[in-house]
Amino acid sequence: MYSTAPLVVLGLGANLGDPVGQLREAVRRLRELLRVEAISSLYRTAPVGYAEQPDFYNLVCLARSALEPAALLAETQRIEREMGRERSFRNAPRAIDLDILAMGDMVVDAAGLTLPHPRLHERGFVLVPLAEIAPGWRHPILRRTAAELLADAGELERVERIQAFD
Ligand code: ATP
Ligand code: CA
Ligand code: CA
């Protein structure tokens, strides 16, 4: 007997170069790494935290993977690096950002990896696409669904649906 691999929720963002092209390339590479089950629409969003930069393009992706959290993080960081991501500061402009939002019900609080992502419930660019494709997804700590987190989040940054991604 083996059980289904945990549901992995990934948040993708880009706001430099050709952001939509980079999101497509990142999804292509993610498909080589894990079993992608759903991809949200493409959204254009106002930058959060550091305003003096271009709008972001964001999407959320649901996938299955048997990789351990640290191994998946190493792989997503490799993709970021190979796609020309330069490490600078939190919320800085970037060619590609791959955040692991959650892996099943796992709760991880390690130096380089926190699961679920500690800021996911405050972010329109996460909650709107997540509620689109998985409104019933439940936050492993807050015990609220994506739809509930979105309804409770109060005023969020501008989040505009552009088009279906595929
Ligand atoms: P934020 O995490 O607020 O979205 P950011 O994406 O701009 O900010 P980065 O510079 O991409 O931040 O990442 C900083 C560090 O966050 C990474 O080196 C990574 O080790 C760590 N990290 C912790 N938890 C996670 C996670 N769930 N997914 C991705 N990176 C994480
Ligand atoms: Ca991020
Ligand atoms: Ca990141």
Side-chain angles (χ1 to χ4, degrees), residues 11-13 56 58 80 85 90-91 94 97-101 117 119 123 125-126:
L12 283 67
F56 274 81
N58 290 99
E80 289 179 340
R85 165 80 181 270
R90 179 178 288 166
N91 300 319
R94 70 273 308 270
D97 184 38
L98 301 178
D99 287 345
I100 307 174
L101 300 173
H117 190 289
R119 290 168 285 282
R123 295 177 161 179
F125 67 83
V126 170

Side-chain angles (χ1 to χ4, degrees), residues 19-82:
V20 178
Q22 280 137 217
L23 290 174
R24 290 197 187 287
E25 175 65 14
V27 167
R28 194 187 65 72
R29 289 173 184 242
L30 286 172
R31 286 187 193 281
E32 295 174 350
L33 190 68
L34 25 73
R35 195 162 83 245
V36 173
E37 292 193 337
I39 302 177
S40 74
S41 299
L42 176 68
Y43 291 83
R44 183 162 60 219
T45 69
V48 169
Y50 175 66
E52 299 303 308
Q53 58 177 324
D55 279 354
F56 274 81
Y57 289 81
N58 290 99
L59 58 82
V60 163
C61 165
L62 303 182
R64 299 277 173 185
S65 173
L67 289 174
E68 294 297 324
L72 181 58
L73 180 68
E75 293 290 339
T76 55
Q77 291 185 335
R78 176 183 55 76
I79 294 173
E80 289 179 340
R81 213 168 37 244
E82 289 176 359

Side-chain angles (χ1 to χ4, degrees), residues 111-126:
L113 181 63
T114 305
L115 292 177
H117 190 289
R119 290 168 285 282
L120 82 83
H121 57 286
E122 309 169 341
R123 295 177 161 179
F125 67 83
V126 170

